[in-house]
Amino acid sequence: MKKNFPILVSLVLLTACTSAPADSVAATPEPTATPVITLEPTPSPTPAPTMAVYDEVSFDDWRDGAGCTMPDYTFSAPHKPQPQEQVTWPTDGVTLCYNAKTLEEAAEVFHTTVENLKELNPDWQDKYSRAIGCYWALKVQAEPYTLPMNNVVTVTVNAPWVESYYDRTEVCDVPASLDKQARAVLASAYYFQYHWWGMHAGFLPYEKLDEPVGFFNYRAADGAFYTKFSEFGSFLHTVYSDAWVDDMLSMDPAPFAEGENDTILTLDGDRGGNIAYCGHLFTEPELQPDGSLAFWQLSLTCESDDFKGWAGEETIVPDTATVTTVRLVPTENGWRVDALELPN
């Protein structure tokens, strides 16, 4: 059953393959153990250096040392994740799914075998998309998965200089067990990706170039998140790892590039979302052998054939959770986001 919104304009962004407190949570059956997040080490001809103990960087030092104008941040107290309107968290478990470039990748992440994955997904060949080289929605365990209800903190990110009221602010939940600087850096990544590198690609407002530069037809104008590429670059490197920034800016086509006189060349495009999206939850962040923090973002959807959309008043209970990994890496200037996909 197809539940994706239609693409709104020319650019299609495919990134997969890559609140108020709730006072109580309904009783759940004995939870299925959450698989340990293990990251495959990068092959190296020499042993990887041992990570030094991470020295926590304060939120104020991180923000003040950005080298650019940064948004304002407010943080709620920790609270239980709150379902969105019309949604009720399931109590009987959900189907756990994963999008993978290969069956071997999925087998390694979930500590199973390719043969077992094929048994769980008799239609596994039909789940492969040649357009993006990815297996979609592979079921990765037979038993229902009990959703974690770990505490979150609601972070409001506000850039008061942004012209568009819609683009000025983002409100998002992040794991409460992260320190304040890590909460802020993750919320900043959600902010950036939701508004300019996810649901929409490119800065608004923009002005049309007299002549195209490659595939770019626009430059960011006053009222955009940033208009100088040097400031934009400082923001990116304050929020993301150097590797993440390099990957984004070297894409073909890239969403942004440096123009003449420190201007920002920008695309303009949008994509749709999954109409069956019901919210997302997190597993607890776990320290990895390489010093990074990794945890799961669980995107919840209702895949039942009985799902008719959101026009009625009936309660929607998600039945599927799709896993993506969120990873933060330590630097001398604080945590940086190294892996994050939008949940919808």
Side-chain angles (χ1 to χ4, degrees), residues 42 48 54 86 107 242 279 319 339:
T42 302
Y54 173 67
Q86 282 189 253
D242 292 345
D319 53 33

Side-chain angles (χ1 to χ4, degrees), residues 1-336:
M1 175 177 176
K2 301 292 186 181
K3 303 189 183 75
N4 288 334
F5 285 129
I7 301 302
L8 302 180
V9 293
S10 59
L11 179 65
V12 179
L13 301 176
L14 294 172
T15 58
C17 303
T18 28
S19 314
D23 294 328
S24 63
V25 180
T28 60
E30 185 68 19
T32 300
T34 301
V36 176
I37 302 172
T38 54
L39 305 180
E40 183 180 2
T42 302
S44 173
T46 58
T50 301
M51 290 294 297
V53 175
Y54 173 67
D55 292 326
E56 183 175 323
V57 174
S58 74
F59 164 76
D60 290 335
D61 287 346
W62 168 79
R63 187 175 184 273
D64 293 344
C68 63
T69 303
M70 289 290 286
D72 299 322
Y73 301 82
T74 57
F75 305 83
S76 77
H79 60 86
K80 290 297 181 185
Q82 181 74 14
Q84 63 189 46
E85 188 177 357
Q86 282 189 253
V87 172
T88 297
W89 298 132
T91 58
D92 296 331
V94 297
T95 300
L96 193 65
C97 293
Y98 184 69
N99 303 324
K101 292 181 179 179
T102 65
L103 296 177
E104 289 76 12
E105 174 198 338
E108 181 172 357
V109 170
F110 293 93
H111 307 286
T112 186
T113 65
V114 170
E115 291 71 23
N116 187 46
L117 289 175
K118 289 181 178 179
E119 290 179 6
L120 291 171
N121 301 273
D123 59 344
W124 62 273
Q125 290 176 311
D126 295 332
K127 290 179 177 286
Y128 187 75
S129 169
R130 294 185 179 278
I132 57 173
C134 179
Y135 288 93
W136 285 97
L138 286 171
K139 185 177 179 180
V140 293
Q141 66 181 40
E143 62 275 15
Y145 175 78
T146 301
L147 294 172
M149 290 293 164
N150 300 314
N151 279 355
V152 294
V153 166
T154 300
V155 184
T156 301
V157 183
N158 178 263
W161 67 89
V162 172
E163 177 179 288
S164 167
Y165 175 82
Y166 170 78
D167 288 331
R168 195 175 301 151
T169 304
E170 182 64 32
V171 180
C172 61
D173 288 344
V174 299
S177 57
L178 297 174
D179 66 40
K180 189 175 182 180
Q181 187 267 318
R183 294 173 185 174
V185 80
L186 182 55
S188 300
Y190 276 119
Y191 178 38
F192 174 69
Q193 287 176 232
Y194 264 119
H195 293 279
W196 299 295
W197 180 227
M199 304 301 285
H200 178 80
F203 285 153
L204 293 171
Y206 55 69
E207 55 189 23
K208 191 173 179 61
L209 300 174
D210 294 333
E211 296 289 339
V213 178
F215 47 77
F216 289 104
N217 292 301
Y218 311 102
R219 70 168 64 89
D222 289 344
F225 187 42
Y226 290 106
T227 58
K228 294 182 178 181
F229 193 86
S230 55
E231 282 196 289
F232 178 40
S234 294
F235 169 82
L236 290 176
H237 287 284
T238 300
V239 172
Y240 295 98
S241 68
D242 292 345
W244 192 98
V245 176
D246 291 344
D247 285 347
M248 185 192 71
L249 295 180
S250 62
M251 295 181 70
D252 186 18
F256 306 96
E258 183 174 5
E260 292 183 350
N261 301 318
D262 201 24
T263 56
I264 302 172
L265 303 179
T266 181
L267 296 181
D268 177 32
D270 294 276
R271 68 162 172 86
N274 188 344
I275 194 174
Y277 172 70
C278 298
H280 62 279
L281 299 169
F282 302 106
T283 60
E284 278 294 336
E286 298 284 348
L287 188 65
Q288 303 300 307
D290 64 357
S292 65
L293 281 171
F295 51 98
W296 283 355
Q297 175 182 257
L298 299 158
S299 299
L300 307 180
T301 55
C302 182
E303 302 297 333
S304 169
D305 290 339
D306 295 332
F307 177 74
K308 305 300 182 184
W310 301 92
E313 297 181 356
E314 67 276 8
T315 298
I316 307 299
V317 181
D319 53 33
T320 302
T322 301
V323 172
T324 57
T325 297
V326 181
R327 182 168 51 251
L328 306 181
V329 295
T331 74
E332 63 181 10
N333 298 313
W335 294 103
R336 299 294 187 268

